[in-house]
Amino acid sequence: MTGLQGVRGRALAGPLAVLAAGAVGVALVAAVDPNEAGHYPTCPFLALTGWACPGCGGLRMTHALAHGRLVEAFGLNPLAFALIPLAAYLWVAWTVAAARGTPVRTGLGARWAVWALTGTILVFWIVRNLPFGQALAP
């Protein structure tokens, strides 16, 4: 590769590395069941407080998704499940921009979007630990 192709190839290295790391991570969680004790460390926040963090249930959700159990996956961490399409969109936008040699342009980096996501995560975190929010608990 020379010239423009070489520059674009290097630009695609980031998105491709993230894709490869994600695929390896999902393959590991698919192969090593997080429902069996001793395979993964306990969530430090859960261990210290007894409360579920926003990510609690994420490994089990990934395992269920990798095995095609969508309803179970949603029940383990509805927020993380709902954010998967957003993460996929951002990865595709990054990859396309890298291939074109242009900066990533998306409204999701706007201040209002960052605050909305942060607020959503905080509300989810609090509600899943309240008695009436047990449906959101892992």
Side-chain angles (χ1 to χ4, degrees):
M1 276 196 247
T2 59
L4 187 57
Q5 288 179 335
V7 171
R8 288 192 182 153
R10 283 190 299 276
L12 285 172
L16 294 176
V18 167
L19 179 64
V24 167
V26 169
L28 175 68
V29 174
V32 181
D33 190 352
N35 294 299
E36 296 177 14
H39 293 296
Y40 299 97
T42 302
C43 169
F45 185 79
L46 179 64
L48 289 171
T49 66
W51 297 331
C53 78
C56 280
L59 285 174
R60 289 177 285 136
M61 179 204 72
T62 303
H63 182 78
L65 272 177
H67 292 276
R69 300 189 307 263
L70 300 178
V71 173
E72 178 185 343
F74 180 79
L76 290 165
N77 193 319
L79 181 62
F81 186 92
L83 289 176
I84 291 171
L86 175 64
Y89 166 76
L90 290 172
W91 182 84
V92 168
W94 179 27
T95 304
V96 168
R100 291 180 179 165
T102 61
V104 177
R105 295 202 190 328
T106 175
L108 295 174
R111 185 174 299 196
W112 70 267
V114 172
W115 280 109
L117 179 60
T118 302
T120 300
I121 292 169
L122 289 172
V123 168
F124 176 74
W125 191 350
I126 293 166
V127 171
R128 78 184 320 205
N129 287 294
L130 295 174
F132 65 86
Q134 289 302 303
L136 300 176

